[in-house]
Amino acid sequence: MNKFLNEFKDRGYFYQCTNENELSNLLDNQSINAYIGFDSTASSLHVGSLMQIMCLRLLQKHGHRPIVLLGGGTTRIGDPSGKEETRKILSEKQIEKNIKNIEKVFKIFLKTSDPKLKPIFVNNFNWLGKLNYINFLREIGKHFTINKMLSFESVKLRLEREQSLSYMEFTYMILQAYDFLELNKNKNCILQIGGSDQWGNIINGVDLIKRHSNKQAFGLTTPLITLASGAKMGKTEKGAVWLDKKLLSPYDYFQFWRNTDDRDVIKFLKMFTDMSISEIEKIKNKNINELKMILANQATKMLHGEKEASKALDTTVSIFVKKEISSNTELPIFNVKKNEIEKGYDLINLVVTTKLLKSKSEVRRSIKDKGIKINDIPVQKDNYKISINDFKNSKKIFKLSHGKKNHVIIKIIN
């Protein structure tokens, strides 16, 4: 098997492929251009998109050129795949702003120095925005049948549940297929990669290229990732795990990976780090907490750089292993004035203000379950007042915690 496809499978990226043997032979004999599309619905991508980014990174590693399609056009419509309702439509200004921010993420993960392999960035609004509706129906629409379009999962699920599916969303699959055709004609792109929920859309593109241009193109999909816990990849109780330090600090990104379920650690080392499969095999029997630290360090280093990863690692060791408390830390620091402490600062208000929990009722329940701690000691009463006595150490700080994973440093100031 081709080296790219072989590693693609070994790392757990593989789900389905069109004409796999033919694609394998082609990849053995030439360097190709392949694309993945990303709609620009937010100012950053989150960890849920990371597998697709890693696929593009792997393409480069094996001498192929990635095309990053940023959906300035399709974002204006909304992909119905996996959605139960119509996506909120953003303004054109916001979409353009999102595209610029998202492009920065790819320039971190993908090499840009080699002119033969550096990513090609395209915005599908450049061609979708110029379409003449009548001509589009005559030249492209004739290749699609309603019968087949109704058979795709993204459409069937919405209709079976009697959930609204607009004509705008229904045509999304045609526009995505047209994207593939456009890239095939103008960027010599012969492969589209996407999540398994995109299989129908990708097949449409492969078929359209065959019908319209009589050329062979290929589709390759990755499995949708669900955590061993059953939760969706990239979502936490605090919200999305963003790939932008303005939205999520390197320390919090490190903690996301460090808190990986034991059952997912080896799988994630393969999927989300550059460690070779042989390296992972050698260390797979190490202590699980050590493996989690390796995963967190490798993943954070890739996105935020070695310096930030090292700082996050040092903070983690200091707090969770050595049980040290310091203001020289990557943990959030919340300043409280001395005169407020002297009056008696309500603990429940402090927990909500620091955003460890969202509401006072949640704090009360957590105190009852011994989930709120000061310097790792559970608070016993929900009417507890923070006093000068809580700042007994010379650094005039203490650690306020919710559970085992969420911490802030409280610092007293004059």
Side-chain angles (χ1 to χ4, degrees):
M1 186 188 297
N2 169 261
K3 288 182 179 179
F4 166 71
L5 285 177
N6 192 49
E7 186 170 354
F8 199 87
K9 289 185 175 184
D10 285 346
R11 290 194 176 274
Y13 298 157
F14 186 89
Y15 189 74
Q16 285 173 298
C17 183
T18 63
N19 301 307
E20 183 182 342
N21 291 335
E22 191 174 339
L23 176 60
S24 181
N25 291 333
L26 183 67
L27 292 169
D28 276 336
N29 292 301
Q30 68 181 73
S31 175
I32 69 160
N33 293 346
Y35 98 95
I36 301 179
F38 300 84
D39 278 350
S40 311
T41 53
S43 62
S44 171
L45 299 176
H46 60 67
V47 165
S49 297
L50 189 54
M51 181 189 279
Q52 305 305 321
I53 298 173
M54 294 300 291
C55 290
L56 295 177
R57 191 177 171 94
L58 189 64
L59 267 171
Q60 274 192 326
K61 174 184 172 181
H62 288 278
H64 306 289
R65 192 171 189 183
I67 298 174
V68 179
L69 184 147
L70 297 171
T74 40
T75 300
R76 287 165 165 81
I77 291 175
D79 183 2
S81 301
K83 308 292 190 303
E84 294 185 356
E85 57 185 22
T86 301
R87 177 193 285 169
K88 180 184 175 183
I89 303 300
L90 303 178
S91 69
E92 293 187 9
K93 186 177 179 180
Q94 185 61 56
I95 291 170
E96 292 304 315
K97 185 178 178 181
N98 290 350
I99 285 173
K100 288 179 181 178
N101 287 336
I102 290 171
E103 193 171 311
K104 295 174 186 175
V105 174
F106 290 97
K107 290 178 179 177
I108 295 172
F109 282 96
L110 302 177
K111 296 176 182 177
T112 57
S113 56
D114 186 342
K116 293 182 179 179
L117 295 178
K118 71 177 183 180
I120 300 169
F121 291 97
V122 294
N123 179 347
N124 62 8
F125 187 68
N126 290 339
W127 56 83
L128 295 182
K130 298 173 184 176
L131 288 179
N132 177 291
Y133 187 60
I134 299 298
N135 290 343
F136 183 73
L137 288 178
R138 285 171 61 88
E139 294 178 20
I140 304 300
K142 67 182 181 181
H143 296 298
F144 292 83
T145 66
I146 294 296
N147 313 59
K148 188 173 182 180
M149 292 171 73
L150 288 172
S151 71
F152 289 116
E153 286 299 309
S154 60
V155 175
K156 283 170 62 178
L157 287 174
R158 292 274 282 272
L159 295 180
E160 286 171 3
R161 295 171 183 168
E162 297 184 356
Q163 293 164 334
S164 175
L165 177 70
S166 68
Y167 175 72
M168 176 181 71
E169 293 174 286
F170 186 58
T171 60
Y172 183 97
M173 66 180 77
I174 301 180
L175 296 181
Q176 185 171 321
Y178 185 71
D179 285 344
F180 198 177
L181 175 63
E182 185 74 16
L183 292 176
N184 181 261
K185 289 192 297 184
N186 297 312
K187 301 294 182 184
N188 195 29
C189 178
I190 61 171
L191 173 65
Q192 182 183 356
I193 304 173
S196 59
D197 61 333
Q198 295 295 313
W199 179 248
N201 293 341
I202 292 172
I203 291 296
N204 274 333
V206 171
D207 288 347
L208 178 60
I209 291 168
K210 183 68 175 176
R211 292 169 183 269
H212 186 275
S213 306
N214 199 30
K215 293 181 180 178
Q216 178 69 66
F218 302 89
L220 180 62
T221 61
T222 60
L224 296 181
I225 306 175
T226 51
L227 307 182
S229 63
K232 190 175 181 180
M233 181 69 177
K235 300 287 186 181
T236 68
E237 59 184 28
K238 284 187 171 183
V241 182
W242 299 106
L243 302 178
D244 184 338
K245 67 165 61 178
K246 292 178 183 177
L247 300 175
L248 188 79
S249 72
Y251 172 78
D252 286 332
Y253 190 72
F254 186 99
Q255 292 308 311
F256 168 76
W257 295 106
R258 179 182 166 272
N259 292 323
T260 296
D261 189 294
D262 293 2
R263 295 165 289 180
D264 288 326
V265 174
I266 298 299
K267 178 172 78 172
F268 285 1
L269 279 167
K270 292 177 181 178
M271 287 181 170
F272 301 117
T273 78
D274 282 335
M275 294 180 70
S276 69
I277 300 299
S278 60
E279 283 179 292
I280 295 168
E281 285 297 312
K282 286 177 184 176
I283 67 168
K284 69 179 183 181
N285 294 320
K286 282 180 178 281
N287 175 277
I288 192 66
N289 289 319
E290 188 177 347
L291 289 173
K292 289 181 181 183
M293 293 289 261
I294 293 170
L295 170 63
N297 191 52
Q298 292 289 327
T300 306
K301 185 166 62 175
M302 192 182 300
L303 176 60
H304 294 294
E306 195 157 351
K307 184 179 178 181
E308 294 288 0
S310 180
K311 284 163 65 177
L313 176 61
D314 290 344
T315 298
T316 301
V317 171
S318 174
I319 293 169
F320 297 102
V321 180
K322 297 179 181 178
K323 304 292 183 182
E324 295 175 346
I325 304 168
S326 170
S327 58
N328 184 22
T329 176
E330 293 298 293
L331 286 179
I333 296 175
F334 185 80
N335 294 324
V336 182
K337 291 183 178 179
K338 186 177 180 180
N339 64 342
E340 292 180 317
I341 298 299
E342 289 172 339
K343 294 175 186 175
Y345 198 115
D346 184 67
L347 173 70
I348 290 178
N349 284 336
L350 182 61
V351 175
V352 173
T353 303
T354 57
K355 298 181 180 179
L356 282 174
L357 285 168
K358 294 178 181 178
S359 68
K360 292 181 179 182
S361 58
E362 286 180 309
V363 181
R364 291 189 183 94
R365 284 195 295 271
S366 188
I367 291 173
K368 188 176 181 181
D369 295 334
K370 298 183 179 180
I372 301 297
K373 299 176 184 178
I374 294 176
N375 293 340
D376 298 319
I377 299 173
V379 176
Q380 303 294 333
K381 301 175 182 178
D382 62 12
N383 62 350
Y384 189 88
K385 303 287 184 183
I386 303 297
S387 71
I388 295 295
N389 291 333
D390 291 306
F391 299 87
K392 286 180 179 178
N393 60 62
S394 60
K395 298 170 185 173
K396 296 184 179 180
I397 61 174
F398 70 80
K399 183 177 69 174
L400 180 64
S401 308
H402 166 233
K404 296 179 180 179
K405 301 175 183 179
N406 304 307
H407 313 272
V408 295
I409 297 295
I410 307 300
K411 184 176 181 179
I412 191 169
I413 58 173
N414 291 325

